Amino acid sequence: MTDKSSNAYWAANIRVIYICLAIWAIVSYGFGILLRPMLSGIHVGGTDLGFWFAQQGSIIVFIALIFYYATYMNKIDREFGVDEQ
């Protein structure tokens, strides 16, 4: 892999990490803590949506992000020729 493609690979890797971290922060901190009063009128599973995001939603989103990251990184690895055969 050349220096140019190596830099492009790591730029794509860092970009997807930042996106995943931003989504996780918004869901866990934003919806679970900051926006909880605004989400308290919406009921999910017998409780309000803000509490649900703080207790369940952030964990579910985190697990979904793990699968997304693994899938996306496999795609990037194939594009740059560094995939595991």
Side-chain angles (χ1 to χ4, degrees):
M1 193 150 70
T2 65
D3 284 342
K4 185 176 180 180
S5 64
S6 177
N7 289 339
Y9 172 77
W10 284 108
N13 188 354
I14 297 298
R15 184 175 52 249
V16 73
I17 288 173
Y18 284 152
I19 291 169
C20 288
L21 284 174
I23 291 169
W24 186 47
I26 290 168
V27 169
S28 63
Y29 186 70
F31 291 159
I33 297 171
L34 298 177
L35 299 177
R36 188 178 188 280
M38 293 187 334
L39 299 173
S40 64
I42 303 169
H43 295 285
V44 172
T47 187
D48 64 90
L49 187 60
F51 179 79
W52 185 85
F53 267 115
Q55 298 300 316
Q56 302 287 335
S58 61
I59 296 169
I60 293 170
V61 168
F62 181 67
I63 292 170
L65 284 173
I66 290 171
F67 285 107
Y68 168 76
Y69 177 77
T71 304
Y72 192 76
M73 283 310 299
N74 285 336
K75 178 184 168 208
I76 290 175
D77 288 349
R78 280 191 302 275
E79 287 178 13
F80 287 94
V82 294
D83 58 330
E84 298 174 1
Q85 296 289 341

